């Protein structure tokens, strides 16, 4: 039987993330919050952070909400509301700065998918720490997906669904961010095995 993490402390953080992103979509705030390279260069630096929480359209938001739901089901019990907020905030800033610094071809960027790649990597490492072999599979599988995107390019069907380019380089940046965020956990795992 599936044992979902249904305590309020586990439900509330991902629910807040869904509500925040849905609110931005409802009020069509992309014009003010999306990553726009020209506007960031002109001093609208908040877009580096806020771009993670707006989406190209409703299907784009729906895909990312499905990702939030999956991560909640897999890893909610590994984190407190404060840790969840910390991970989201750090990865949002990391991913936005990564797009700004390392993806000069990206002029407009939106979406949670990059930071969600980081969150799922962090959760996979927490699974490993909890002694779950599936954590290694999830870690390797997520990295395999990110590397495959770098080799094969973005999914054409997803690009059509969201009516936008899939920012595979941002996914890579998010996975790197999640791995770095999980580094202290890796160190604890290694020390505990000594």
């Amino acid at each position: 039987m599936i044992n979902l993490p249904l305590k309020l402390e586990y439900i509330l953080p991902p629910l807040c993330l869904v509500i925040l992103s849905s609110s931005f979509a409802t009020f069509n705030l992309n014009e003010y919050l999306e990553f726009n390279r020209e506007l960031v260069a002109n001093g609208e630096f908040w877009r580096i952070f806020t771009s993670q929480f707006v989406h190209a359209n409703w299907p784009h938001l729906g895909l990312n909400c499905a990702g939030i739901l999956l991560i909640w089901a897999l890893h909610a019990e590994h984190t407190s509301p404060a840790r969840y907020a910390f991970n989201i905030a750090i990865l949002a800033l990391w991913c936005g700065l990564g797009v700004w610094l390392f993806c000069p071809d990206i002029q407009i960027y939106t979406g949670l998918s990059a930071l969600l790649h980081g969150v799922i990597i962090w959760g996979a490492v927490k699974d490993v720490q909890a002694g779950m072999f599936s954590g290694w599979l999830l870690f390797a599988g997520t990295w395999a997906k990110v590397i495959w995107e770098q080799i094969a390019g973005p999914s054409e069907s997803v690009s059509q669904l969201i009516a936008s380019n899939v920012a595979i380089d941002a996914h890579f940046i998010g996975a790197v961010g999640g791995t770095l965020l999980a580094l202290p956990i890796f160190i604890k795992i290694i020390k505990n095995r000594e």
Side-chain angles (χ1 to χ4, degrees):
M1 183 171 166
I2 297 174
N3 186 16
L4 294 174
L6 296 175
K7 289 183 181 177
L8 186 60
E9 68 182 292
Y10 302 140
I11 295 172
L12 195 55
L15 182 61
C16 287
L17 185 56
V18 168
I19 290 170
L20 176 71
S21 292
S22 298
S23 298
F24 289 166
T26 300
F27 294 106
N28 196 22
L29 297 178
N30 284 32
E31 180 183 343
Y32 308 103
L33 302 177
E34 71 188 4
F35 177 92
N36 179 311
R37 186 166 294 280
E38 181 180 342
L39 296 176
V40 171
N42 288 329
E44 295 185 17
F45 300 116
W46 66 85
R47 293 172 178 273
I48 287 172
F49 182 80
T50 60
S51 59
Q52 311 303 308
F53 306 102
V54 293
H55 293 81
N57 55 28
W58 287 101
H60 188 202
L61 175 61
L63 284 175
N64 282 323
C65 286
I68 293 168
L69 181 64
L70 173 66
I71 293 167
W72 163 77
L74 291 173
H75 301 135
E77 293 169 321
H78 289 320
T79 186
S80 67
R83 182 65 203 212
Y84 189 93
F86 176 82
N87 286 357
I88 295 298
I90 290 297
L91 288 167
L93 185 59
W94 172 270
C95 293
L97 283 171
V99 168
W100 171 250
L101 295 171
F102 302 112
C103 304
D105 293 340
I106 296 178
Q107 298 301 310
I108 303 291
Y109 174 80
T110 60
L112 283 164
S113 59
L115 78 82
L116 291 178
H117 279 76
V119 172
I120 203 160
I121 290 282
W122 183 88
V125 176
K126 288 295 286 184
D127 282 348
V128 170
Q129 186 181 36
M132 299 168 64
F133 180 73
S134 59
W136 286 116
L137 297 176
L138 186 58
F139 183 86
T142 303
W143 267 108
K145 181 246 186 212
V146 168
I147 292 167
W148 177 252
E149 285 179 332
Q150 293 294 312
I151 295 167
S155 165
E156 188 59 38
S157 60
V158 174
S159 292
Q160 289 174 359
L161 178 66
I162 68 172
S164 182
N165 292 328
V166 177
I168 59 172
D169 291 338
H171 294 174
F172 180 80
I173 290 165
V176 169
T179 303
L180 292 174
L181 199 58
L183 201 54
I185 303 166
F186 271 129
I187 292 168
K188 282 183 187 175
I189 292 169
I190 291 166
K191 284 185 178 178
N192 288 340
R193 290 184 177 175
E194 291 177 351

